[in-house]
Amino acid sequence: QVELVESGGGLVQAGGSLRLSCAASGRTFSSYDMGWFRQAPGKEREIVAAITWRGRDTYYADSVKGRFTISRDNANNMVYLQMNSLKAEDTAVYYCAADLDLRRLRGGAPNYWGQGTQVTVSS
């Protein structure tokens, strides 16, 4: 069982940066592959980035490659999403997610979700 709580969202101007944090509970956090998803108004939820349980492998949506970086700190049960060069189209609710199965995570159906944090980028 994993509980996820996101923080760090807010309002930022285009070109700016934000860092999202996801605090996870549970003694087995380091066993989970982790991801960040987002959902914009009127659109389906999409995966933004994922990181394997050891942090060795990362995956990014084409739309954020080179601008966003996912990282994790297993000692402190934390996952981060550093977002740079933000664009208006990055505006969405961002969700942290966890699963023991990377394929299920990247497929958009992870077992555990956070409550989401709003990111608004003004142009």
Side-chain angles (χ1 to χ4, degrees):
Q1 185 78 13
V2 176
E3 293 187 357
L4 306 170
V5 179
E6 304 95 334
S7 61
L11 174 64
V12 64
Q13 289 188 333
S17 298
L18 279 176
R19 188 175 84 153
L20 304 183
S21 299
C22 174
S25 66
R27 291 177 292 178
T28 59
F29 167 77
S30 60
S31 300
Y32 285 81
D33 299 311
M34 301 295 298
W36 287 95
F37 290 74
R38 69 185 180 187
Q39 187 168 21
K43 295 187 177 181
E44 293 187 356
R45 185 149 51 185
E46 62 175 355
I47 190 166
V48 174
I51 187 167
T52 51
W53 62 281
R54 285 187 182 180
R56 288 183 177 176
D57 297 303
T58 56
Y59 306 88
Y60 297 94
D62 288 342
S63 58
V64 306
K65 279 181 183 176
R67 300 189 298 121
F68 291 11
T69 303
I70 188 171
S71 61
R72 67 189 298 162
D73 177 356
N74 284 345
N76 291 295
N77 284 15
M78 296 293 296
V79 178
Y80 304 99
L81 186 68
Q82 178 66 44
M83 305 186 294
N84 299 328
S85 303
L86 283 161
K87 305 176 181 180
E89 51 263 43
D90 295 318
T91 295
V93 178
Y94 284 71
Y95 298 89
C96 179
D99 204 288
L100 292 171
D101 186 328
L102 180 62
R103 183 177 298 180
R104 187 161 55 213
L105 176 72
R106 295 184 67 192
N111 279 323
Y112 302 103
W113 293 94
Q115 83 288 350
T117 185
Q118 176 71 47
V119 171
T120 303
V121 184
S122 63
S123 57

